[in-house]
Amino acid sequence: MQLQRAPAFQRGDWPALRHLSCWYVRKDCWGQGVAGELVHWAINHALSHPMIYRTEAACDVMNVASARMMEKAGMSQGALLRRYLFHPNVSDEPRDAFLYSKVR
Ligand SMILES: CC(C)(COP(=O)(O)OP(=O)(O)OC[C@H]1O[C@@H](n2cnc3c(N)ncnc32)[C@H](O)[C@@H]1OP(=O)(O)O)[C@@H](O)C(=O)NCCC(=O)NCCS
């Protein structure tokens, strides 16, 4: 699995650390629980930090695998974020996304 840092949404004035990542699993390894296990570990590791109270991630509304994987990792679906993500391989326009989070 590859984790990539995304610089957007980082706010230096917030008292807590923020780190946004996205995840990709090699296609021939999909559906074996790889992402779910690693994201579960990463979220709980982040929430064990004394200054981190919230983890969140978003996925395209059509990305059933990513949504299911986040639920398996212990995250809950929250808001529908309208026109939130760009997926140039799907559309030239910003797309709706589901926001998931886990807090402590
Ligand atoms: C999303 C992604 C990271 C998931 O990785 P993964 O290792 O296959 O994830 P997991 O195996 O832990 O969990 C996937 C779950 O989604 C389910 N799933 C996959 N495709 C599905 C579909 N079309 N409909 C319903 N459920 C689906 C799987 O069955 C599994 O759930 P289960 O264990 O209850 O059966 C991987 O598909 C990927 O790299 N996709 C391309 C990049 C991407 O979309 N990244 C996310 C951007 S937000």
Side-chain angles (χ1 to χ4, degrees):
M1 185 167 95
Q2 180 178 10
L3 285 174
Q4 290 189 340
R5 177 187 289 262
F9 310 110
Q10 290 180 342
R11 302 239 331 237
D13 55 331
W14 284 24
L17 302 172
R18 298 206 107 198
H19 176 89
L20 186 71
S21 299
C22 43
W23 37 71
Y24 306 82
V25 170
R26 220 173 64 188
K27 199 166 185 174
D28 59 341
C29 296
W30 286 5
Q32 298 174 30
V34 173
E37 185 176 336
L38 285 170
V39 170
H40 183 267
W41 178 87
I43 287 169
N44 288 325
H45 179 67
L47 290 174
S48 72
H49 189 286
M51 290 184 70
I52 297 179
Y53 294 88
R54 176 181 173 88
T55 58
E56 64 182 41
C59 70
D60 190 289
V61 292
M62 299 301 288
N63 196 339
V64 184
S66 192
R68 172 76 189 124
M69 182 274 293
M70 286 192 278
E71 286 168 3
K72 286 198 314 181
M75 306 183 89
S76 306
Q77 188 179 311
L80 171 64
L81 304 172
R82 305 300 306 275
R83 299 291 195 181
Y84 186 74
L85 294 173
F86 277 101
H87 284 148
N89 56 330
V90 178
S91 169
D92 290 335
E93 297 187 349
R95 293 176 52 77
D96 294 349
F98 288 126
L99 179 66
Y100 280 80
S101 67
K102 183 174 180 182
V103 301
R104 68 170 172 88

